[in-house]
Amino acid sequence: MNILAFNSSPRDHETSKTELVLQKFLEGARRAGAAAETLYLRNYKIKHCLGCFDCWIKTPGRCVQKDDMTDILFDRYLQADLVVLASPIYHATMNARLKLLVERTLPMMDPLKEVPEGVAPHRFEKMPKVVTLSVCGFWEQSMFDAMSLTWRMCLAGDLIAEVYRHSAEFLSVPEFQTLAQPIFDALAQAGEEVVRQGKVQPETMAALTQPLGPPEILARLAREFWSQGAGG
Ligand SMILES: Cc1cc2nc3c(=O)[nH]c(=O)nc-3n(C[C@H](O)[C@H](O)[C@H](O)COP(=O)(O)O)c2cc1C
């Protein structure tokens, strides 16, 4: 299996928790025999969708703009067997950089295609399956609800798993490493299961979403980090 991950965090490898969680997941996928590559959207120029629908009518399957989406990313997306769309939560959903990429996948859809309920109207024969992955700062799993609804509506049957980790800023704090280890193990397990079984088992999902501590303690620690000028 050929996996292509898109990471939309603006942060570098040392500070990005999306990167931390994504690479644990990919580690497990590789262990199951997949080849996995990550592209960092901060390194690419992606223009906004113009809303012209030319990609449906005048130039079916092709955007009229010219940028890294048309030159590189569009084809790379289509060539993958599995795409991982990875974003930090910003204001209760994916960040703008990932949304840009997603909106520019519009040429992959064919409005004339009649498909059963729950199936995306693909223009191209081969479309990758998708895993969505995200992290957030707060400790409620519900922080991912709005984004999850978006993904389920937009990706329909292409979406095979959603991997979301709350309290993510604590995952790199040295004092939390003992508590974080089972979460890292579960993330790798999730990657392995996606490759071997095409889904993540409920017990793996429970392990990777387990709390790192009582909310009131995490809230107090978070306030202490911020008051010390922490941000990475
Ligand atoms: C503009 C902005 C908005 C954010 N909004 C939320 C939010 O709504 N809920 C939340 O739990 N965390 C929020 N966060 C925190 C990030 O999700 C968290 O810091 C995450 O670890 C960032 O991922 P990254 O390290 O890969 O960039 C926000 C961060 C930024 C910069």
Side-chain angles (χ1 to χ4, degrees):
M1 185 189 284
N2 172 19
I3 303 179
L4 184 65
F6 294 95
N7 179 351
S8 67
S9 171
R11 285 168 150 187
D12 63 24
H13 289 21
E14 276 66 51
T15 47
S16 169
K17 304 308 176 299
T18 309
E19 178 67 2
L20 179 64
V21 165
L22 172 64
Q23 294 310 323
K24 298 289 178 199
F25 176 83
L26 294 181
E27 204 177 287
R30 288 193 186 99
R31 206 159 65 198
E37 186 185 350
T38 307
L39 300 182
Y40 298 91
L41 293 183
R42 61 178 177 272
N43 297 331
Y44 296 91
K45 294 255 180 301
I46 307 176
K47 295 180 185 169
H48 286 269
C49 173
L50 297 171
C52 62
F53 289 110
D54 280 3
C55 65
W56 281 4
I57 300 151
K58 289 191 188 152
T59 57
R62 200 163 49 79
C63 179
V64 292
Q65 306 193 76
K66 186 171 166 48
D67 62 0
D68 287 339
M69 187 66 188
T70 52
D71 290 351
I72 304 166
L73 302 174
F74 192 83
D75 286 345
R76 293 295 315 270
Y77 188 112
L78 286 174
Q79 284 156 6
D81 300 313
L82 177 75
V83 159
V84 182
L85 297 175
S87 169
I89 286 287
Y90 279 8
H91 294 81
T93 188
M94 73 189 85
N95 72 356
R97 209 186 291 262
L98 185 61
K99 189 72 173 5
L100 262 187
L101 175 97
V102 171
E103 289 174 13
R104 293 288 304 283
T105 62
L106 194 70
M108 296 178 194
M109 299 297 151
D110 180 354
L112 302 177
K113 210 160 233 175
E114 286 185 35
V115 288
E117 181 90 15
V119 175
H122 297 146
R123 178 180 302 281
F124 302 108
E125 265 318 290
K126 181 184 171 297
M127 279 292 288
K129 292 292 181 195
V130 181
V131 170
T132 54
L133 180 146
S134 187
V135 301
C136 77
F138 286 106
W139 22 91
E140 297 96 10
Q141 194 66 15
S142 59
M143 192 53 79
F144 301 103
D145 286 357
M147 186 183 62
S148 173
L149 180 62
T150 303
W151 287 135
R152 283 180 280 128
M153 292 189 81
C154 293
L155 295 167
D158 296 340
L159 182 65
I160 59 167
E162 300 180 83
V163 174
Y164 303 143
R165 178 61 222 179
H166 59 82
S167 321
E169 294 291 359
F170 292 105
L171 292 177
S172 60
V173 172
E175 291 81 355
F176 275 87
Q177 288 316 291
T178 309
L179 288 172
Q181 193 53 50
I183 295 164
F184 295 149
D185 293 344
L187 285 164
Q189 176 71 20
E192 204 171 324
E193 286 172 2
V194 160
V195 174
R196 292 195 201 282
Q197 305 167 27
K199 61 181 177 191
V200 179
Q201 293 298 337
E203 49 281 15
T204 306
M205 205 52 94
L208 75 84
T209 56
Q210 65 187 276
L212 275 175
E216 56 282 6
I217 305 278
L218 297 179
R220 184 169 57 71
L221 288 173
R223 276 193 298 275
E224 278 173 23
F225 287 139
W226 291 116
S227 64
Q228 289 161 13

